[in-house]
PDB file of all heavy atoms in Angstrom:
ATOM      1  N   MET K  28     -21.003 -11.313  29.758  1.00  0.00           N
ATOM      2  CA  MET K  28     -20.064 -11.383  28.655  1.00  0.00           C
ATOM      3  C   MET K  28     -20.843 -11.245  27.362  1.00  0.00           C
ATOM      4  O   MET K  28     -21.805 -11.967  27.119  1.00  0.00           O
ATOM      5  CB  MET K  28     -19.320 -12.715  28.677  1.00  0.00           C
ATOM      6  CG  MET K  28     -18.354 -12.906  27.528  1.00  0.00           C
ATOM      7  SD  MET K  28     -16.866 -11.902  27.698  1.00  0.00           S
ATOM      8  CE  MET K  28     -16.064 -12.729  29.076  1.00  0.00           C
ATOM      9  N   VAL K  29     -20.463 -10.290  26.523  1.00  0.00           N
ATOM     10  CA  VAL K  29     -21.146 -10.090  25.244  1.00  0.00           C
ATOM     11  C   VAL K  29     -20.422 -10.858  24.144  1.00  0.00           C
ATOM     12  O   VAL K  29     -21.003 -11.693  23.462  1.00  0.00           O
ATOM     13  CB  VAL K  29     -21.239  -8.587  24.896  1.00  0.00           C
ATOM     14  CG1 VAL K  29     -21.929  -8.393  23.550  1.00  0.00           C
ATOM     15  CG2 VAL K  29     -21.997  -7.843  25.990  1.00  0.00           C
ATOM     16  N   GLU K  30     -19.133 -10.582  23.978  1.00  0.00           N
ATOM     17  CA  GLU K  30     -18.329 -11.290  22.987  1.00  0.00           C
ATOM     18  C   GLU K  30     -16.872 -11.315  23.423  1.00  0.00           C
ATOM     19  O   GLU K  30     -16.414 -10.421  24.131  1.00  0.00           O
ATOM     20  CB  GLU K  30     -18.430 -10.622  21.602  1.00  0.00           C
ATOM     21  CG  GLU K  30     -19.775 -10.761  20.930  1.00  0.00           C
ATOM     22  CD  GLU K  30     -19.763 -10.217  19.510  1.00  0.00           C
ATOM     23  OE1 GLU K  30     -18.674 -10.174  18.889  1.00  0.00           O
ATOM     24  OE2 GLU K  30     -20.832  -9.842  19.021  1.00  0.00           O
ATOM     25  N   LYS K  31     -16.148 -12.353  22.988  1.00  0.00           N
ATOM     26  CA  LYS K  31     -14.705 -12.446  23.224  1.00  0.00           C
ATOM     27  C   LYS K  31     -14.001 -12.268  21.890  1.00  0.00           C
ATOM     28  O   LYS K  31     -14.233 -13.045  20.963  1.00  0.00           O
ATOM     29  CB  LYS K  31     -14.338 -13.804  23.826  1.00  0.00           C
ATOM     30  CG  LYS K  31     -15.088 -14.154  25.093  1.00  0.00           C
ATOM     31  CD  LYS K  31     -14.775 -15.581  25.497  1.00  0.00           C
ATOM     32  CE  LYS K  31     -15.680 -16.047  26.626  1.00  0.00           C
ATOM     33  NZ  LYS K  31     -15.460 -17.468  26.955  1.00  0.00           N
ATOM     34  N   ILE K  32     -13.153 -11.267  21.810  1.00  0.00           N
ATOM     35  CA  ILE K  32     -12.509 -10.945  20.533  1.00  0.00           C
ATOM     36  C   ILE K  32     -11.002 -10.807  20.738  1.00  0.00           C
ATOM     37  O   ILE K  32     -10.550 -10.186  21.703  1.00  0.00           O
ATOM     38  CB  ILE K  32     -13.086  -9.634  19.945  1.00  0.00           C
ATOM     39  CG1 ILE K  32     -14.592  -9.805  19.730  1.00  0.00           C
ATOM     40  CG2 ILE K  32     -12.388  -9.256  18.648  1.00  0.00           C
ATOM     41  CD1 ILE K  32     -15.303  -8.567  19.291  1.00  0.00           C
ATOM     42  N   ARG K  33     -10.235 -11.378  19.829  1.00  0.00           N
ATOM     43  CA  ARG K  33      -8.774 -11.296  19.937  1.00  0.00           C
ATOM     44  C   ARG K  33      -8.269  -9.998  19.309  1.00  0.00           C
ATOM     45  O   ARG K  33      -8.520  -9.729  18.137  1.00  0.00           O
ATOM     46  CB  ARG K  33      -8.124 -12.493  19.256  1.00  0.00           C
ATOM     47  CG  ARG K  33      -6.603 -12.498  19.361  1.00  0.00           C
ATOM     48  CD  ARG K  33      -6.017 -13.824  18.965  1.00  0.00           C
ATOM     49  NE  ARG K  33      -6.316 -14.865  19.939  1.00  0.00           N
ATOM     50  CZ  ARG K  33      -5.820 -16.105  19.884  1.00  0.00           C
ATOM     51  NH1 ARG K  33      -5.018 -16.454  18.898  1.00  0.00           N
ATOM     52  NH2 ARG K  33      -6.134 -16.993  20.798  1.00  0.00           N
ATOM     53  N   GLY K  34      -7.595  -9.205  20.108  1.00  0.00           N
ATOM     54  CA  GLY K  34      -7.013  -7.956  19.621  1.00  0.00           C
ATOM     55  C   GLY K  34      -7.904  -6.762  19.921  1.00  0.00           C
ATOM     56  O   GLY K  34      -9.110  -6.800  19.709  1.00  0.00           O
ATOM     57  N   TYR K  35      -7.276  -5.690  20.411  1.00  0.00           N
ATOM     58  CA  TYR K  35      -8.055  -4.515  20.821  1.00  0.00           C
ATOM     59  C   TYR K  35      -8.735  -3.832  19.637  1.00  0.00           C
ATOM     60  O   TYR K  35      -9.892  -3.423  19.729  1.00  0.00           O
ATOM     61  CB  TYR K  35      -7.161  -3.504  21.552  1.00  0.00           C
ATOM     62  CG  TYR K  35      -7.954  -2.383  22.165  1.00  0.00           C
ATOM     63  CD1 TYR K  35      -8.459  -2.494  23.460  1.00  0.00           C
ATOM     64  CD2 TYR K  35      -8.242  -1.217  21.444  1.00  0.00           C
ATOM     65  CE1 TYR K  35      -9.224  -1.487  24.029  1.00  0.00           C
ATOM     66  CE2 TYR K  35      -9.006  -0.212  22.004  1.00  0.00           C
ATOM     67  CZ  TYR K  35      -9.487  -0.350  23.286  1.00  0.00           C
ATOM     68  OH  TYR K  35     -10.252   0.652  23.829  1.00  0.00           O
ATOM     69  N   LYS K  36      -8.036  -3.690  18.515  1.00  0.00           N
ATOM     70  CA  LYS K  36      -8.604  -2.985  17.362  1.00  0.00           C
ATOM     71  C   LYS K  36      -9.894  -3.657  16.885  1.00  0.00           C
ATOM     72  O   LYS K  36     -10.899  -2.988  16.614  1.00  0.00           O
ATOM     73  CB  LYS K  36      -7.572  -2.955  16.230  1.00  0.00           C
ATOM     74  CG  LYS K  36      -8.070  -2.318  14.925  1.00  0.00           C
ATOM     75  CD  LYS K  36      -8.406  -0.849  15.099  1.00  0.00           C
ATOM     76  CE  LYS K  36      -8.578  -0.130  13.773  1.00  0.00           C
ATOM     77  NZ  LYS K  36      -9.645  -0.691  12.928  1.00  0.00           N
ATOM     78  N   ARG K  37      -9.874  -4.972  16.786  1.00  0.00           N
ATOM     79  CA  ARG K  37     -11.065  -5.691  16.352  1.00  0.00           C
ATOM     80  C   ARG K  37     -12.197  -5.538  17.365  1.00  0.00           C
ATOM     81  O   ARG K  37     -13.364  -5.397  16.994  1.00  0.00           O
ATOM     82  CB  ARG K  37     -10.741  -7.170  16.151  1.00  0.00           C
ATOM     83  CG  ARG K  37      -9.815  -7.455  14.969  1.00  0.00           C
ATOM     84  CD  ARG K  37      -9.492  -8.924  14.857  1.00  0.00           C
ATOM     85  NE  ARG K  37     -10.706  -9.712  14.611  1.00  0.00           N
ATOM     86  CZ  ARG K  37     -10.766 -11.037  14.745  1.00  0.00           C
ATOM     87  NH1 ARG K  37      -9.690 -11.714  15.150  1.00  0.00           N
ATOM     88  NH2 ARG K  37     -11.892 -11.673  14.493  1.00  0.00           N
ATOM     89  N   ALA K  38     -11.848  -5.569  18.663  1.00  0.00           N
ATOM     90  CA  ALA K  38     -12.869  -5.418  19.694  1.00  0.00           C
ATOM     91  C   ALA K  38     -13.459  -4.005  19.663  1.00  0.00           C
ATOM     92  O   ALA K  38     -14.677  -3.818  19.822  1.00  0.00           O
ATOM     93  CB  ALA K  38     -12.272  -5.704  21.070  1.00  0.00           C
ATOM     94  N   PHE K  39     -12.602  -3.033  19.446  1.00  0.00           N
ATOM     95  CA  PHE K  39     -13.024  -1.631  19.348  1.00  0.00           C
ATOM     96  C   PHE K  39     -14.028  -1.465  18.201  1.00  0.00           C
ATOM     97  O   PHE K  39     -15.101  -0.878  18.363  1.00  0.00           O
ATOM     98  CB  PHE K  39     -11.786  -0.766  19.113  1.00  0.00           C
ATOM     99  CG  PHE K  39     -12.027   0.712  19.074  1.00  0.00           C
ATOM    100  CD1 PHE K  39     -11.870   1.488  20.217  1.00  0.00           C
ATOM    101  CD2 PHE K  39     -12.393   1.349  17.893  1.00  0.00           C
ATOM    102  CE1 PHE K  39     -12.074   2.865  20.180  1.00  0.00           C
ATOM    103  CE2 PHE K  39     -12.604   2.708  17.846  1.00  0.00           C
ATOM    104  CZ  PHE K  39     -12.439   3.474  18.993  1.00  0.00           C
ATOM    105  N   ASP K  40     -13.680  -2.006  17.038  1.00  0.00           N
ATOM    106  CA  ASP K  40     -14.558  -1.908  15.869  1.00  0.00           C
ATOM    107  C   ASP K  40     -15.868  -2.659  16.099  1.00  0.00           C
ATOM    108  O   ASP K  40     -16.937  -2.218  15.664  1.00  0.00           O
ATOM    109  CB  ASP K  40     -13.855  -2.467  14.628  1.00  0.00           C
ATOM    110  CG  ASP K  40     -12.672  -1.618  14.189  1.00  0.00           C
ATOM    111  OD1 ASP K  40     -12.599  -0.444  14.609  1.00  0.00           O
ATOM    112  OD2 ASP K  40     -11.819  -2.133  13.442  1.00  0.00           O
ATOM    113  N   ARG K  41     -15.760  -3.797  16.768  1.00  0.00           N
ATOM    114  CA  ARG K  41     -16.962  -4.598  17.027  1.00  0.00           C
ATOM    115  C   ARG K  41     -17.907  -3.861  17.977  1.00  0.00           C
ATOM    116  O   ARG K  41     -19.138  -3.933  17.814  1.00  0.00           O
ATOM    117  CB  ARG K  41     -16.567  -5.951  17.636  1.00  0.00           C
ATOM    118  CG  ARG K  41     -17.745  -6.870  17.924  1.00  0.00           C
ATOM    119  CD  ARG K  41     -18.444  -7.302  16.665  1.00  0.00           C
ATOM    120  NE  ARG K  41     -19.672  -8.031  16.990  1.00  0.00           N
ATOM    121  CZ  ARG K  41     -20.886  -7.720  16.548  1.00  0.00           C
ATOM    122  NH1 ARG K  41     -21.049  -6.691  15.731  1.00  0.00           N
ATOM    123  NH2 ARG K  41     -21.930  -8.433  16.895  1.00  0.00           N
ATOM    124  N   LEU K  42     -17.364  -3.145  18.939  1.00  0.00           N
ATOM    125  CA  LEU K  42     -18.209  -2.394  19.867  1.00  0.00           C
ATOM    126  C   LEU K  42     -19.002  -1.322  19.126  1.00  0.00           C
ATOM    127  O   LEU K  42     -20.174  -1.086  19.434  1.00  0.00           O
ATOM    128  CB  LEU K  42     -17.357  -1.757  20.966  1.00  0.00           C
ATOM    129  CG  LEU K  42     -18.108  -0.996  22.064  1.00  0.00           C
ATOM    130  CD1 LEU K  42     -19.137  -1.895  22.751  1.00  0.00           C
ATOM    131  CD2 LEU K  42     -17.137  -0.437  23.092  1.00  0.00           C
ATOM    132  N   VAL K  43     -18.383  -0.703  18.140  1.00  0.00           N
ATOM    133  CA  VAL K  43     -19.101   0.275  17.322  1.00  0.00           C
ATOM    134  C   VAL K  43     -20.268  -0.400  16.599  1.00  0.00           C
ATOM    135  O   VAL K  43     -21.380   0.137  16.541  1.00  0.00           O
ATOM    136  CB  VAL K  43     -18.149   0.936  16.292  1.00  0.00           C
ATOM    137  CG1 VAL K  43     -18.931   1.875  15.377  1.00  0.00           C
ATOM    138  CG2 VAL K  43     -17.038   1.702  17.002  1.00  0.00           C
ATOM    139  N   SER K  44     -20.044  -1.594  16.078  1.00  0.00           N
ATOM    140  CA  SER K  44     -21.096  -2.314  15.360  1.00  0.00           C
ATOM    141  C   SER K  44     -22.230  -2.744  16.277  1.00  0.00           C
ATOM    142  O   SER K  44     -23.405  -2.734  15.890  1.00  0.00           O
ATOM    143  CB  SER K  44     -20.513  -3.553  14.664  1.00  0.00           C
ATOM    144  OG  SER K  44     -19.562  -3.194  13.693  1.00  0.00           O
ATOM    145  N   ILE K  45     -21.886  -3.118  17.502  1.00  0.00           N
ATOM    146  CA  ILE K  45     -22.899  -3.576  18.454  1.00  0.00           C
ATOM    147  C   ILE K  45     -23.929  -2.491  18.740  1.00  0.00           C
ATOM    148  O   ILE K  45     -25.109  -2.778  18.982  1.00  0.00           O
ATOM    149  CB  ILE K  45     -22.217  -4.065  19.750  1.00  0.00           C
ATOM    150  CG1 ILE K  45     -21.565  -5.429  19.500  1.00  0.00           C
ATOM    151  CG2 ILE K  45     -23.214  -4.159  20.912  1.00  0.00           C
ATOM    152  CD1 ILE K  45     -20.757  -5.948  20.666  1.00  0.00           C
ATOM    153  N   ILE K  46     -23.505  -1.244  18.684  1.00  0.00           N
ATOM    154  CA  ILE K  46     -24.444  -0.141  18.915  1.00  0.00           C
ATOM    155  C   ILE K  46     -25.618  -0.232  17.947  1.00  0.00           C
ATOM    156  O   ILE K  46     -26.780  -0.109  18.334  1.00  0.00           O
ATOM    157  CB  ILE K  46     -23.734   1.220  18.766  1.00  0.00           C
ATOM    158  CG1 ILE K  46     -22.728   1.420  19.894  1.00  0.00           C
ATOM    159  CG2 ILE K  46     -24.757   2.360  18.741  1.00  0.00           C
ATOM    160  CD1 ILE K  46     -21.884   2.669  19.746  1.00  0.00           C
ATOM    161  N   GLY K  47     -25.317  -0.472  16.674  1.00  0.00           N
ATOM    162  CA  GLY K  47     -26.364  -0.569  15.666  1.00  0.00           C
ATOM    163  C   GLY K  47     -27.245  -1.786  15.843  1.00  0.00           C
ATOM    164  O   GLY K  47     -28.447  -1.759  15.543  1.00  0.00           O
ATOM    165  N   GLU K  48     -26.667  -2.873  16.354  1.00  0.00           N
ATOM    166  CA  GLU K  48     -27.417  -4.103  16.548  1.00  0.00           C
ATOM    167  C   GLU K  48     -28.310  -4.052  17.788  1.00  0.00           C
ATOM    168  O   GLU K  48     -29.405  -4.623  17.800  1.00  0.00           O
ATOM    169  CB  GLU K  48     -26.451  -5.284  16.659  1.00  0.00           C
ATOM    170  CG  GLU K  48     -25.641  -5.517  15.384  1.00  0.00           C
ATOM    171  CD  GLU K  48     -24.505  -6.496  15.592  1.00  0.00           C
ATOM    172  OE1 GLU K  48     -24.449  -7.118  16.672  1.00  0.00           O
ATOM    173  OE2 GLU K  48     -23.665  -6.639  14.678  1.00  0.00           O
ATOM    174  N   GLU K  49     -27.847  -3.381  18.811  1.00  0.00           N
ATOM    175  CA  GLU K  49     -28.572  -3.347  20.084  1.00  0.00           C
ATOM    176  C   GLU K  49     -29.463  -2.116  20.237  1.00  0.00           C
ATOM    177  O   GLU K  49     -30.427  -2.122  20.996  1.00  0.00           O
ATOM    178  CB  GLU K  49     -27.575  -3.372  21.247  1.00  0.00           C
ATOM    179  CG  GLU K  49     -26.744  -4.642  21.344  1.00  0.00           C
ATOM    180  CD  GLU K  49     -27.460  -5.732  22.117  1.00  0.00           C
ATOM    181  OE1 GLU K  49     -28.510  -5.447  22.713  1.00  0.00           O
ATOM    182  OE2 GLU K  49     -26.943  -6.867  22.121  1.00  0.00           O
ATOM    183  N   GLY K  50     -29.133  -1.039  19.523  1.00  0.00           N
ATOM    184  CA  GLY K  50     -29.846   0.221  19.716  1.00  0.00           C
ATOM    185  C   GLY K  50     -31.022   0.403  18.785  1.00  0.00           C
ATOM    186  O   GLY K  50     -31.052  -0.138  17.680  1.00  0.00           O
ATOM    187  N   LYS K  51     -31.993   1.184  19.236  1.00  0.00           N
ATOM    188  CA  LYS K  51     -33.160   1.548  18.427  1.00  0.00           C
ATOM    189  C   LYS K  51     -33.397   3.052  18.560  1.00  0.00           C
ATOM    190  O   LYS K  51     -33.130   3.638  19.605  1.00  0.00           O
ATOM    191  CB  LYS K  51     -34.396   0.791  18.905  1.00  0.00           C
ATOM    192  CG  LYS K  51     -34.310  -0.722  18.769  1.00  0.00           C
ATOM    193  CD  LYS K  51     -35.576  -1.380  19.304  1.00  0.00           C
ATOM    194  CE  LYS K  51     -35.488  -2.901  19.199  1.00  0.00           C
ATOM    195  NZ  LYS K  51     -36.697  -3.557  19.760  1.00  0.00           N
ATOM    196  N   ASN K  52     -33.901   3.652  17.495  1.00  0.00           N
ATOM    197  CA  ASN K  52     -34.228   5.082  17.513  1.00  0.00           C
ATOM    198  C   ASN K  52     -33.058   5.917  18.038  1.00  0.00           C
ATOM    199  O   ASN K  52     -33.230   6.788  18.905  1.00  0.00           O
ATOM    200  CB  ASN K  52     -35.476   5.340  18.366  1.00  0.00           C
ATOM    201  CG  ASN K  52     -36.676   4.543  17.896  1.00  0.00           C
ATOM    202  OD1 ASN K  52     -36.923   4.436  16.691  1.00  0.00           O
ATOM    203  ND2 ASN K  52     -37.424   3.979  18.830  1.00  0.00           N
ATOM    204  N   LEU K  53     -31.885   5.662  17.515  1.00  0.00           N
ATOM    205  CA  LEU K  53     -30.677   6.326  18.014  1.00  0.00           C
ATOM    206  C   LEU K  53     -30.720   7.836  17.825  1.00  0.00           C
ATOM    207  O   LEU K  53     -30.093   8.576  18.599  1.00  0.00           O
ATOM    208  CB  LEU K  53     -29.440   5.747  17.330  1.00  0.00           C
ATOM    209  CG  LEU K  53     -29.187   4.252  17.547  1.00  0.00           C
ATOM    210  CD1 LEU K  53     -27.898   3.831  16.855  1.00  0.00           C
ATOM    211  CD2 LEU K  53     -29.133   3.909  19.030  1.00  0.00           C
ATOM    212  N   GLU K  54     -31.451   8.307  16.826  1.00  0.00           N
ATOM    213  CA  GLU K  54     -31.547   9.744  16.588  1.00  0.00           C
ATOM    214  C   GLU K  54     -32.257  10.469  17.730  1.00  0.00           C
ATOM    215  O   GLU K  54     -32.166  11.691  17.846  1.00  0.00           O
ATOM    216  CB  GLU K  54     -32.268  10.021  15.261  1.00  0.00           C
ATOM    217  CG  GLU K  54     -33.735   9.649  15.231  1.00  0.00           C
ATOM    218  CD  GLU K  54     -33.995   8.164  15.013  1.00  0.00           C
ATOM    219  OE1 GLU K  54     -33.011   7.410  14.814  1.00  0.00           O
ATOM    220  OE2 GLU K  54     -35.173   7.757  15.038  1.00  0.00           O
ATOM    221  N   GLU K  55     -32.927   9.721  18.589  1.00  0.00           N
ATOM    222  CA  GLU K  55     -33.615  10.314  19.741  1.00  0.00           C
ATOM    223  C   GLU K  55     -32.802  10.180  21.021  1.00  0.00           C
ATOM    224  O   GLU K  55     -33.241  10.622  22.081  1.00  0.00           O
ATOM    225  CB  GLU K  55     -34.976   9.640  19.929  1.00  0.00           C
ATOM    226  CG  GLU K  55     -35.908   9.743  18.728  1.00  0.00           C
ATOM    227  CD  GLU K  55     -37.171   8.921  18.910  1.00  0.00           C
ATOM    228  OE1 GLU K  55     -37.348   8.332  20.012  1.00  0.00           O
ATOM    229  OE2 GLU K  55     -37.974   8.856  17.971  1.00  0.00           O
ATOM    230  N   LYS K  56     -31.614   9.582  20.928  1.00  0.00           N
ATOM    231  CA  LYS K  56     -30.865   9.240  22.127  1.00  0.00           C
ATOM    232  C   LYS K  56     -29.508   9.940  22.196  1.00  0.00           C
ATOM    233  O   LYS K  56     -28.972  10.408  21.202  1.00  0.00           O
ATOM    234  CB  LYS K  56     -30.669   7.726  22.203  1.00  0.00           C
ATOM    235  CG  LYS K  56     -31.976   6.962  22.325  1.00  0.00           C
ATOM    236  CD  LYS K  56     -31.750   5.471  22.432  1.00  0.00           C
ATOM    237  CE  LYS K  56     -33.073   4.729  22.603  1.00  0.00           C
ATOM    238  NZ  LYS K  56     -32.872   3.275  22.708  1.00  0.00           N
ATOM    239  N   ILE K  57     -28.982   9.968  23.414  1.00  0.00           N
ATOM    240  CA  ILE K  57     -27.634  10.468  23.667  1.00  0.00           C
ATOM    241  C   ILE K  57     -26.716   9.271  23.884  1.00  0.00           C
ATOM    242  O   ILE K  57     -27.067   8.325  24.591  1.00  0.00           O
ATOM    243  CB  ILE K  57     -27.608  11.372  24.920  1.00  0.00           C
ATOM    244  CG1 ILE K  57     -28.485  12.606  24.720  1.00  0.00           C
ATOM    245  CG2 ILE K  57     -26.173  11.787  25.259  1.00  0.00           C
ATOM    246  CD1 ILE K  57     -28.637  13.444  25.980  1.00  0.00           C
TER     247      ILE K  57
END
């Protein structure tokens, strides 16, 4: 479990943000 979020829209937006928090060197990745 990563996070529990109420409402799909908020969860959708949060997933986009998690990419930046968890990812490194994204310009080199697919």
Side-chain angles (χ1 to χ4, degrees):
M28 178 73 70
V29 179
E30 291 186 25
K31 305 173 190 175
I32 300 174
R33 182 167 290 186
Y35 188 89
K36 176 64 166 59
R37 291 178 62 195
F39 184 94
D40 293 342
R41 181 65 188 125
L42 183 57
V43 176
S44 297
I45 285 175
I46 292 174
E48 297 169 9
E49 296 275 351
K51 297 179 181 178
N52 303 318
L53 299 182
E54 68 280 356
E55 301 173 4
K56 297 181 178 180
I57 298 173

